Coordinates of all heavy atoms in Angstrom, one line a residue:
M1 N -9.4 -5.4 6.5 CA -8.4 -5.9 7.4 C -7.7 -7.1 6.8 O -8.3 -7.9 6.1 CB -9.0 -6.3 8.7 CG -8.1 -6.9 9.7 SD -8.9 -7.2 11.3 CE -8.0 -6.0 12.3
T2 N -6.4 -7.2 7.0 CA -5.6 -8.2 6.4 C -5.6 -9.4 7.3 O -5.4 -9.3 8.5 CB -4.1 -7.7 6.1 OG1 -4.2 -6.5 5.4 CG2 -3.3 -8.7 5.4
N3 N -5.7 -10.6 6.7 CA -5.7 -11.8 7.5 C -4.7 -12.8 6.9 O -4.2 -12.6 5.8 CB -7.1 -12.4 7.6 CG -7.7 -12.8 6.2 OD1 -7.0 -13.3 5.4 ND2 -8.9 -12.5 6.0
P4 N -4.3 -13.9 7.6 CA -3.3 -14.8 7.1 C -3.6 -15.3 5.7 O -2.7 -15.6 4.9 CB -3.3 -15.9 8.1 CG -3.8 -15.3 9.3 CD -4.8 -14.2 8.9
S5 N -4.8 -15.5 5.3 CA -5.1 -16.0 4.0 C -4.7 -15.1 2.9 O -4.4 -15.5 1.8 CB -6.6 -16.4 3.8 OG -7.4 -15.2 3.9
D6 N -4.6 -13.7 3.2 CA -4.1 -12.8 2.2 C -2.7 -13.0 1.9 O -2.2 -13.0 0.8 CB -4.3 -11.3 2.7 CG -5.7 -10.9 2.8 OD1 -6.6 -11.5 2.2 OD2 -6.0 -9.9 3.5
A7 N -1.9 -13.3 3.0 CA -0.5 -13.6 2.8 C -0.3 -14.9 2.0 O 0.7 -15.0 1.2 CB 0.2 -13.6 4.1
E8 N -1.1 -15.9 2.3 CA -1.0 -17.2 1.6 C -1.4 -17.1 0.1 O -0.9 -17.9 -0.7 CB -1.9 -18.2 2.3 CG -1.5 -18.5 3.7 CD -2.5 -19.3 4.5 OE1 -3.5 -19.7 3.9 OE2 -2.2 -19.6 5.6
S9 N -2.1 -16.0 -0.3 CA -2.6 -15.9 -1.7 C -1.6 -15.2 -2.5 O -1.8 -14.9 -3.7 CB -3.9 -15.2 -1.7 OG -3.8 -13.9 -1.3
L10 N -0.4 -14.8 -1.9 CA 0.6 -14.1 -2.7 C 1.3 -15.0 -3.7 O 1.4 -16.2 -3.5 CB 1.6 -13.5 -1.8 CG 1.2 -12.3 -0.9 CD1 2.3 -12.0 0.2 CD2 0.9 -11.1 -1.7
P11 N 1.8 -14.4 -4.8 CA 2.5 -15.3 -5.8 C 3.8 -15.9 -5.2 O 4.3 -15.3 -4.2 CB 2.9 -14.3 -6.9 CG 2.2 -13.0 -6.6 CD 1.7 -13.1 -5.2
N12 N 4.3 -16.9 -5.8 CA 5.5 -17.6 -5.3 C 6.6 -17.4 -6.2 O 7.6 -18.2 -6.2 CB 5.2 -19.1 -5.0 CG 4.5 -19.3 -3.7 OD1 4.8 -18.6 -2.7 ND2 3.5 -20.2 -3.7
S13 N 6.6 -16.4 -7.1 CA 7.7 -16.2 -8.0 C 8.2 -14.8 -7.8 O 7.5 -13.9 -7.5 CB 7.3 -16.4 -9.5 OG 6.4 -15.4 -9.9
I14 N 9.5 -14.7 -7.9 CA 10.2 -13.4 -7.7 C 9.7 -12.3 -8.7 O 9.3 -11.2 -8.3 CB 11.7 -13.5 -7.8 CG1 12.2 -14.3 -6.5 CG2 12.4 -12.2 -7.8 CD1 13.7 -14.7 -6.5
P15 N 9.6 -12.6 -10.0 CA 9.1 -11.5 -10.9 C 7.7 -11.1 -10.6 O 7.4 -9.9 -10.7 CB 9.2 -12.2 -12.3 CG 10.2 -13.3 -12.1 CD 10.1 -13.8 -10.7
A16 N 6.8 -12.0 -10.3 CA 5.4 -11.7 -10.0 C 5.3 -10.8 -8.7 O 4.6 -9.9 -8.6 CB 4.6 -12.9 -9.8
L17 N 6.2 -11.2 -7.7 CA 6.2 -10.4 -6.5 C 6.7 -9.0 -6.7 O 6.3 -8.0 -6.2 CB 6.9 -11.1 -5.4 CG 6.2 -12.2 -4.7 CD1 7.1 -13.1 -3.9 CD2 5.1 -11.7 -3.8
E18 N 7.8 -8.9 -7.5 CA 8.4 -7.6 -7.8 C 7.3 -6.7 -8.5 O 7.2 -5.5 -8.3 CB 9.6 -7.7 -8.7 CG 10.8 -8.3 -7.9 CD 12.0 -8.6 -8.8 OE1 11.8 -8.8 -10.0 OE2 13.1 -8.6 -8.2
E19 N 6.6 -7.3 -9.4 CA 5.5 -6.6 -10.1 C 4.4 -6.1 -9.2 O 3.9 -5.0 -9.2 CB 4.9 -7.5 -11.2 CG 3.9 -6.8 -12.1 CD 3.4 -7.7 -13.2 OE1 4.2 -8.3 -13.9 OE2 2.2 -7.6 -13.5
L20 N 4.1 -7.0 -8.2 CA 3.0 -6.7 -7.2 C 3.5 -5.6 -6.3 O 2.7 -4.6 -6.1 CB 2.7 -8.0 -6.4 CG 1.6 -7.8 -5.4 CD1 0.3 -7.5 -6.1 CD2 1.5 -9.1 -4.6
V21 N 4.7 -5.6 -5.9 CA 5.3 -4.5 -5.0 C 5.3 -3.2 -5.8 O 4.9 -2.2 -5.2 CB 6.7 -4.9 -4.5 CG1 7.3 -3.7 -3.8 CG2 6.6 -6.1 -3.5
A22 N 5.7 -3.2 -7.0 CA 5.7 -2.0 -7.8 C 4.3 -1.5 -8.0 O 4.0 -0.3 -8.0 CB 6.3 -2.3 -9.2
S23 N 3.3 -2.4 -8.2 CA 1.9 -2.0 -8.3 C 1.4 -1.3 -7.0 O 0.7 -0.3 -7.0 CB 1.0 -3.2 -8.6 OG -0.3 -2.9 -8.5
Y24 N 1.8 -1.9 -5.9 CA 1.4 -1.3 -4.6 C 2.0 0.1 -4.4 O 1.4 1.0 -3.9 CB 1.8 -2.2 -3.4 CG 1.0 -3.5 -3.2 CD1 1.5 -4.7 -2.8 CD2 -0.4 -3.4 -3.4 CE1 0.7 -5.8 -2.6 CE2 -1.2 -4.6 -3.2 CZ -0.6 -5.7 -2.8 OH -1.4 -6.8 -2.6
Q25 N 3.3 0.2 -4.8 CA 3.9 1.5 -4.7 C 3.2 2.5 -5.5 O 3.0 3.7 -5.1 CB 5.4 1.4 -5.1 CG 6.2 0.6 -4.1 CD 7.6 0.3 -4.6 OE1 7.9 0.3 -5.8 NE2 8.5 0.1 -3.6
Q26 N 2.8 2.2 -6.7 CA 2.0 3.1 -7.6 C 0.7 3.5 -7.0 O 0.3 4.6 -7.0 CB 1.9 2.5 -9.0 CG 1.2 3.4 -9.9 CD 1.9 4.8 -10.1 OE1 3.1 4.8 -10.2 NE2 1.1 5.9 -10.2
Q27 N 0.0 2.5 -6.4 CA -1.3 2.7 -5.8 C -1.1 3.6 -4.6 O -2.0 4.5 -4.3 CB -1.9 1.4 -5.4 CG -2.4 0.6 -6.6 CD -2.9 -0.8 -6.2 OE1 -3.6 -0.9 -5.2 NE2 -2.6 -1.8 -6.9
L28 N 0.0 3.4 -3.8 CA 0.2 4.3 -2.7 C 0.5 5.7 -3.1 O 0.0 6.7 -2.5 CB 1.4 3.8 -1.8 CG 1.1 2.6 -1.0 CD1 2.4 2.0 -0.4 CD2 0.1 2.9 0.1
K29 N 1.2 5.9 -4.2 CA 1.4 7.2 -4.7 C 0.1 7.9 -5.1 O -0.1 9.1 -4.9 CB 2.4 7.1 -5.9 CG 2.8 8.5 -6.5 CD 3.7 8.3 -7.7 CE 4.0 9.6 -8.3 NZ 4.8 9.5 -9.5
T30 N -0.8 7.1 -5.8 CA -2.1 7.7 -6.2 C -2.9 8.1 -5.0 O -3.5 9.1 -5.0 CB -2.8 6.6 -7.0 OG1 -2.0 6.3 -8.2 CG2 -4.2 7.1 -7.5
L31 N -2.9 7.3 -3.9 CA -3.6 7.6 -2.7 C -3.0 8.9 -2.0 O -3.8 9.7 -1.5 CB -3.5 6.4 -1.7 CG -4.4 5.2 -2.1 CD1 -4.1 4.0 -1.2 CD2 -5.9 5.6 -2.1
D32 N -1.7 9.0 -2.1 CA -1.1 10.2 -1.5 C -1.5 11.5 -2.3 O -1.9 12.5 -1.7 CB 0.4 10.1 -1.5 CG 1.0 9.2 -0.5 OD1 0.3 9.0 0.6 OD2 2.2 8.8 -0.6
E33 N -1.6 11.4 -3.6 CA -2.0 12.5 -4.4 C -3.5 12.8 -4.2 O -3.9 14.0 -4.1 CB -1.8 12.1 -5.9 CG -0.3 12.1 -6.3 CD -0.1 11.5 -7.7 OE1 -1.1 11.0 -8.3 OE2 1.1 11.4 -8.1
K34 N -4.3 11.8 -4.0 CA -5.7 12.0 -3.7 C -5.9 12.7 -2.4 O -6.7 13.6 -2.2 CB -6.5 10.7 -3.7 CG -7.9 10.8 -3.4 CD -8.6 9.5 -3.4 CE -10.1 9.6 -3.1 NZ -10.8 8.3 -3.0
Q35 N -5.1 12.3 -1.4 CA -5.2 12.9 -0.1 C -4.8 14.4 -0.1 O -5.4 15.2 0.5 CB -4.4 12.1 1.0 CG -4.5 12.7 2.4 CD -3.9 11.7 3.4 OE1 -3.6 10.6 3.1 NE2 -3.8 12.2 4.6
K36 N -3.8 14.6 -0.9 CA -3.3 16.0 -1.0 C -4.4 16.9 -1.7 O -4.7 18.0 -1.2 CB -2.0 16.0 -1.9 CG -1.4 17.4 -2.0 CD -0.2 17.4 -2.8 CE 0.4 18.8 -3.0 NZ 1.6 18.8 -3.9
R37 N -5.0 16.3 -2.7 CA -6.1 17.1 -3.3 C -7.3 17.3 -2.4 O -7.9 18.4 -2.4 CB -6.6 16.3 -4.6 CG -5.7 16.4 -5.8 CD -6.4 15.9 -7.0 NE -6.9 14.6 -6.9 CZ -6.3 13.4 -7.2 NH1 -5.0 13.5 -7.5 NH2 -6.9 12.3 -7.0
L38 N -7.6 16.3 -1.5 CA -8.7 16.5 -0.6 C -8.3 17.6 0.4 O -9.2 18.5 0.8 CB -9.0 15.2 0.1 CG -9.7 14.1 -0.7 CD1 -9.6 12.8 0.1 CD2 -11.1 14.5 -1.0
F39 N -7.1 17.6 0.9 CA -6.7 18.7 1.9 C -6.8 20.0 1.2 O -7.2 21.0 1.8 CB -5.3 18.4 2.4 CG -5.2 17.4 3.5 CD1 -4.4 16.3 3.5 CD2 -6.0 17.6 4.7 CE1 -4.3 15.4 4.5 CE2 -6.0 16.7 5.7 CZ -5.1 15.6 5.7
E40 N -6.3 20.1 0.0 CA -6.3 21.4 -0.7 C -7.7 21.9 -1.0 O -8.0 23.1 -1.1 CB -5.5 21.3 -2.0 CG -4.0 21.2 -1.8 CD -3.2 20.9 -3.0 OE1 -3.8 20.6 -4.1 OE2 -2.0 20.9 -2.9
A41 N -8.7 21.0 -1.2 CA -10.0 21.4 -1.5 C -10.9 21.8 -0.3 O -11.9 22.4 -0.5 CB -10.7 20.2 -2.2
E42 N -10.4 21.5 0.9 CA -11.1 21.9 2.1 C -11.1 23.4 2.2 O -10.1 24.1 1.9 CB -10.5 21.3 3.3 CG -10.8 19.8 3.5 CD -10.4 19.3 4.8 OE1 -9.3 19.7 5.4 OE2 -11.1 18.5 5.4
D43 N -12.2 24.0 2.6 CA -12.3 25.4 2.8 C -13.0 25.7 4.2 O -14.3 25.8 4.2 CB -13.1 26.0 1.7 CG -13.1 27.6 1.7 OD1 -12.5 28.1 2.6 OD2 -13.8 28.2 0.9
P44 N -12.3 25.7 5.3 CA -12.9 25.9 6.6 C -13.8 27.1 6.7 O -14.8 27.1 7.4 CB -11.7 25.9 7.5 CG -10.6 25.3 6.8 CD -10.8 25.6 5.4
K45 N -13.4 28.2 6.0 CA -14.2 29.4 6.1 C -15.6 29.3 5.6 O -16.5 29.9 6.1 CB -13.5 30.6 5.3 CG -12.2 31.1 6.0 CD -11.6 32.2 5.2 CE -10.3 32.7 5.8 NZ -9.7 33.7 5.0
N46 N -15.7 28.4 4.6 CA -17.1 28.1 4.0 C -17.7 26.8 4.5 O -18.7 26.4 3.9 CB -16.9 28.2 2.5 CG -16.6 29.5 1.9 OD1 -17.1 30.6 2.4 ND2 -15.7 29.6 1.0
G47 N -17.0 26.2 5.4 CA -17.6 25.0 6.0 C -17.4 23.8 5.1 O -18.2 22.8 5.2
I48 N -16.4 23.8 4.2 CA -16.2 22.6 3.3 C -15.1 21.8 3.9 O -13.9 22.2 4.0 CB -15.9 23.1 1.9 CG1 -17.0 24.0 1.3 CG2 -15.6 21.9 1.0 CD1 -16.7 24.6 0.0
F49 N -15.5 20.6 4.3 CA -14.5 19.6 4.9 C -14.7 18.3 4.2 O -15.8 17.9 3.8 CB -14.8 19.5 6.4 CG -14.6 20.8 7.2 CD1 -15.7 21.6 7.5 CD2 -13.3 21.2 7.5 CE1 -15.5 22.7 8.2 CE2 -13.1 22.4 8.2 CZ -14.2 23.2 8.6
F50 N -13.6 17.5 4.2 CA -13.6 16.2 3.6 C -13.1 15.2 4.6 O -12.3 14.3 4.3 CB -12.8 16.2 2.3 CG -13.4 17.0 1.2 CD1 -12.9 18.3 1.0 CD2 -14.5 16.6 0.5 CE1 -13.4 19.1 0.0 CE2 -15.1 17.4 -0.5 CZ -14.5 18.7 -0.7
A51 N -13.5 15.3 5.9 CA -13.0 14.4 6.9 C -13.3 12.9 6.6 O -12.4 12.1 6.8 CB -13.6 14.8 8.3
N52 N -14.5 12.6 6.2 CA -14.8 11.2 5.9 C -13.9 10.6 4.8 O -13.4 9.5 4.9 CB -16.3 11.0 5.6 CG -17.1 11.3 6.8 OD1 -16.7 11.1 8.0 ND2 -18.4 11.6 6.6
E53 N -13.8 11.4 3.7 CA -13.0 11.0 2.6 C -11.6 10.8 3.0 O -10.9 9.9 2.5 CB -13.2 11.9 1.4 CG -14.6 12.0 0.8 CD -15.5 12.9 1.5 OE1 -15.2 13.4 2.6 OE2 -16.6 13.1 1.0
I54 N -11.0 11.8 3.7 CA -9.6 11.7 4.2 C -9.4 10.5 5.0 O -8.4 9.8 4.9 CB -9.2 13.0 4.9 CG1 -9.2 14.2 3.8 CG2 -7.9 12.9 5.6 CD1 -9.0 15.6 4.4
H55 N -10.3 10.3 6.0 CA -10.2 9.1 6.8 C -10.2 7.8 6.0 O -9.4 6.9 6.3 CB -11.3 9.1 7.9 CG -11.3 7.9 8.8 ND1 -10.4 7.8 9.8 CD2 -12.1 6.9 8.9 CE1 -10.6 6.6 10.4 NE2 -11.7 6.1 9.9
A56 N -11.2 7.7 5.1 CA -11.3 6.5 4.3 C -10.0 6.3 3.4 O -9.5 5.2 3.3 CB -12.5 6.6 3.4
N57 N -9.5 7.4 2.9 CA -8.2 7.3 2.2 C -7.1 6.8 3.0 O -6.3 6.0 2.6 CB -7.9 8.7 1.6 CG -6.7 8.7 0.6 OD1 -6.8 8.1 -0.4 ND2 -5.7 9.4 1.0
R58 N -7.0 7.3 4.3 CA -5.9 6.9 5.2 C -6.1 5.4 5.5 O -5.1 4.7 5.6 CB -5.9 7.7 6.5 CG -5.4 9.1 6.3 CD -5.3 9.8 7.6 NE -4.7 11.1 7.4 CZ -4.9 12.1 8.2 NH1 -5.6 12.0 9.3 NH2 -4.3 13.3 8.0
Q59 N -7.3 5.0 5.7 CA -7.5 3.5 6.0 C -7.1 2.7 4.8 O -6.4 1.6 5.0 CB -8.9 3.3 6.3 CG -9.3 3.7 7.7 CD -10.8 3.3 8.0 OE1 -11.7 3.5 7.2 NE2 -11.0 2.8 9.2
E60 N -7.4 3.1 3.6 CA -7.0 2.4 2.4 C -5.5 2.3 2.2 O -4.9 1.3 1.9 CB -7.7 3.0 1.2 CG -7.5 2.2 -0.1 CD -8.3 2.8 -1.3 OE1 -9.0 3.8 -1.1 OE2 -8.0 2.3 -2.4
K61 N -4.9 3.5 2.5 CA -3.4 3.6 2.4 C -2.8 2.6 3.4 O -1.8 1.9 3.1 CB -3.0 5.0 2.7 CG -1.5 5.2 2.5 CD -1.1 6.6 2.7 CE 0.4 6.8 2.7 NZ 0.9 8.1 3.0
N62 N -3.3 2.6 4.7 CA -2.7 1.7 5.7 C -2.8 0.2 5.3 O -1.9 -0.6 5.4 CB -3.4 1.9 7.0 CG -3.0 3.2 7.7 OD1 -1.9 3.8 7.3 ND2 -3.8 3.7 8.6
Q63 N -4.0 -0.1 4.7 CA -4.2 -1.5 4.3 C -3.3 -1.8 3.2 O -2.7 -2.9 3.1 CB -5.7 -1.7 3.9 CG -6.0 -3.1 3.4 CD -7.5 -3.2 3.0 OE1 -8.2 -2.2 2.8 NE2 -7.9 -4.4 2.8
M64 N -3.1 -0.9 2.2 CA -2.2 -1.1 1.1 C -0.8 -1.3 1.6 O 0.0 -2.2 1.1 CB -2.3 0.1 0.1 CG -1.6 -0.1 -1.2 SD -2.4 -1.3 -2.3 CE -4.0 -0.7 -2.3
Q65 N -0.3 -0.5 2.6 CA 1.0 -0.7 3.1 C 1.2 -2.0 3.7 O 2.3 -2.6 3.6 CB 1.3 0.5 4.1 CG 1.5 1.8 3.5 CD 1.5 2.9 4.5 OE1 0.9 2.9 5.6 NE2 2.3 4.0 4.1
V66 N 0.2 -2.5 4.5 CA 0.4 -3.9 5.1 C 0.5 -4.9 4.0 O 1.3 -5.8 4.1 CB -0.8 -4.1 6.0 CG1 -0.8 -5.6 6.5 CG2 -0.7 -3.2 7.2
Q67 N -0.4 -4.8 3.0 CA -0.3 -5.8 1.9 C 1.0 -5.8 1.2 O 1.6 -6.8 0.8 CB -1.5 -5.5 0.9 CG -2.8 -5.8 1.4 CD -4.0 -5.4 0.5 OE1 -3.7 -4.7 -0.4 NE2 -5.2 -5.8 0.9
M68 N 1.6 -4.6 1.0 CA 2.9 -4.4 0.4 C 4.0 -5.0 1.2 O 4.9 -5.7 0.8 CB 3.2 -3.0 0.1 CG 4.4 -2.8 -0.7 SD 4.7 -1.1 -1.3 CE 5.4 -0.4 0.2
Q69 N 3.8 -4.9 2.6 CA 4.8 -5.5 3.5 C 4.8 -7.0 3.4 O 5.9 -7.6 3.4 CB 4.6 -5.0 4.9 CG 5.0 -3.6 5.2 CD 4.6 -3.1 6.5 OE1 3.8 -3.7 7.2 NE2 5.2 -2.0 7.0
F70 N 3.6 -7.6 3.3 CA 3.5 -9.0 3.2 C 4.2 -9.5 1.9 O 5.0 -10.4 1.9 CB 2.1 -9.5 3.1 CG 1.4 -9.7 4.4 CD1 0.2 -9.0 4.7 CD2 1.9 -10.6 5.4 CE1 -0.4 -9.2 5.9 CE2 1.3 -10.8 6.6 CZ 0.1 -10.1 6.9
A71 N 4.0 -8.8 0.8 CA 4.6 -9.1 -0.5 C 6.1 -8.9 -0.4 O 6.9 -9.7 -0.9 CB 4.0 -8.3 -1.6
Q72 N 6.6 -7.8 0.2 CA 8.0 -7.6 0.3 C 8.7 -8.6 1.1 O 9.8 -9.1 0.8 CB 8.2 -6.2 0.9 CG 9.7 -5.7 0.8 CD 10.2 -5.5 -0.6 OE1 9.6 -4.8 -1.4 NE2 11.2 -6.2 -0.9
V73 N 8.1 -9.1 2.2 CA 8.7 -10.1 3.1 C 8.8 -11.4 2.3 O 9.9 -12.1 2.3 CB 7.9 -10.3 4.4 CG1 8.3 -11.6 5.1 CG2 8.0 -9.1 5.3
R74 N 7.8 -11.8 1.5 CA 7.8 -13.0 0.7 C 8.9 -12.9 -0.4 O 9.7 -13.8 -0.6 CB 6.5 -13.4 0.1 CG 6.7 -14.6 -0.8 CD 5.4 -15.3 -1.1 NE 4.8 -15.8 0.1 CZ 3.6 -16.4 0.1 NH1 2.9 -16.4 -1.0 NH2 3.0 -16.8 1.2
L75 N 9.0 -11.7 -1.0 CA 10.0 -11.5 -2.0 C 11.4 -11.6 -1.4 O 12.2 -12.3 -2.0 CB 9.8 -10.1 -2.6 CG 10.8 -9.6 -3.7 CD1 10.8 -10.5 -4.9 CD2 10.5 -8.2 -4.1
N76 N 11.6 -11.0 -0.3 CA 12.9 -11.1 0.3 C 13.3 -12.5 0.7 O 14.4 -13.0 0.5 CB 13.0 -10.2 1.6 CG 12.9 -8.7 1.3 OD1 13.2 -8.3 0.1 ND2 12.6 -7.9 2.3
R77 N 12.3 -13.3 1.2 CA 12.5 -14.7 1.5 C 12.9 -15.5 0.3 O 13.8 -16.3 0.3 CB 11.3 -15.3 2.2 CG 11.5 -16.7 2.7 CD 10.3 -17.3 3.4 NE 9.1 -17.2 2.6 CZ 8.7 -18.1 1.7 NH1 9.4 -19.1 1.4 NH2 7.6 -17.9 1.0
L78 N 12.1 -15.3 -0.8 CA 12.4 -16.0 -2.0 C 13.8 -15.7 -2.6 O 14.5 -16.6 -3.1 CB 11.3 -15.8 -3.1 CG 10.0 -16.4 -2.8 CD1 9.0 -16.0 -3.8 CD2 10.1 -17.9 -2.7
K79 N 14.2 -14.4 -2.5 CA 15.5 -14.0 -3.0 C 16.6 -14.6 -2.1 O 17.6 -15.1 -2.6 CB 15.6 -12.5 -3.0 CG 14.9 -11.8 -4.1 CD 15.1 -10.3 -4.1 CE 14.4 -9.6 -5.2 NZ 14.6 -8.2 -5.2
M80 N 16.4 -14.7 -0.8 CA 17.3 -15.2 0.1 C 17.5 -16.7 -0.2 O 18.6 -17.3 -0.2 CB 16.9 -15.0 1.5 CG 18.0 -15.4 2.5 SD 17.5 -15.1 4.2 CE 16.1 -16.2 4.4
E81 N 16.4 -17.4 -0.4 CA 16.4 -18.9 -0.7 C 17.1 -19.2 -2.0 O 17.7 -20.2 -2.2 CB 15.0 -19.4 -0.6 CG 14.4 -19.5 0.7 CD 13.0 -19.9 0.7 OE1 12.4 -20.1 -0.4 OE2 12.4 -20.1 1.8
A82 N 17.0 -18.2 -3.0 CA 17.5 -18.5 -4.3 C 19.1 -18.2 -4.3 O 19.7 -18.8 -5.2 CB 16.9 -17.5 -5.3
E83 N 19.6 -17.5 -3.4 CA 21.0 -17.2 -3.4 C 21.8 -18.3 -2.6 O 21.3 -18.7 -1.6 CB 21.3 -15.8 -2.7 CG 20.7 -14.6 -3.4 CD 21.0 -13.3 -2.7 OE1 21.7 -13.3 -1.6 OE2 20.4 -12.3 -3.1
P84 N 22.9 -18.6 -3.2 CA 23.8 -19.6 -2.5 C 24.3 -19.0 -1.2 O 24.6 -17.8 -1.1 CB 24.9 -20.0 -3.4 CG 24.9 -18.8 -4.4 CD 23.5 -18.2 -4.4
L85 N 24.5 -19.8 -0.2 CA 25.0 -19.3 1.1 C 26.5 -18.9 1.0 O 27.0 -18.1 1.7 CB 24.8 -20.4 2.2 CG 23.4 -20.6 2.6 CD1 23.3 -21.8 3.6 CD2 22.7 -19.4 3.1
F86 N 27.3 -19.6 0.2 CA 28.7 -19.3 0.1 C 29.1 -19.1 -1.3 O 28.6 -19.5 -2.3 CB 29.5 -20.5 0.6 CG 29.3 -20.7 2.1 CD1 28.4 -21.7 2.5 CD2 29.9 -19.9 3.1 CE1 28.1 -21.9 3.9 CE2 29.7 -20.2 4.4 CZ 28.8 -21.1 4.8

């Protein structure tokens, strides 16, 4: 579960945050691929199910998305502060 201290531990530089967001995007892609493999490996006729693994994967993906949103919000804020208003 994400808590306020997670958001406070984010980097305070635009390049570091961009790298972090890109890392989260890659990790989400990997989790999507893993979930697809788990669904494809299930064989209901033979009683082969991966419900626990799929559930854990979804939880990890949700957590990763929240972390990425925190990083994206901070990145947007830093970019906005760096740009002149006029």
Side-chain angles (χ1 to χ4, degrees):
M1 179 173 244
T2 305
N3 60 42
S5 65
D6 291 341
E8 294 169 3
S9 67
L10 290 171
N12 282 318
S13 72
I14 291 173
L17 282 166
E18 287 174 337
E19 185 177 316
L20 185 61
V21 169
S23 171
Y24 285 145
Q25 289 171 339
Q26 182 60 40
Q27 290 175 41
L28 285 169
K29 183 180 175 183
T30 302
L31 288 170
D32 284 338
E33 292 168 357
K34 180 180 178 182
Q35 185 168 347
K36 183 179 177 182
R37 285 192 307 271
L38 287 169
F39 278 126
E40 289 173 352
E42 285 190 322
D43 186 4
K45 289 181 183 178
N46 293 320
I48 299 173
F49 298 98
F50 296 102
N52 290 336
E53 293 85 350
I54 291 169
H55 178 71
N57 188 65
R58 283 183 178 161
Q59 285 185 314
E60 187 176 353
K61 182 179 175 185
N62 289 339
Q63 182 180 13
M64 188 72 53
Q65 287 172 329
V66 169
Q67 291 171 351
M68 187 173 80
Q69 287 174 343
F70 277 125
Q72 190 65 55
V73 166
R74 177 162 297 172
L75 176 61
N76 292 343
R77 182 179 53 85
L78 289 176
K79 284 182 176 181
M80 185 177 67
E81 290 174 355
E83 294 178 8
L85 293 176
F86 297 97

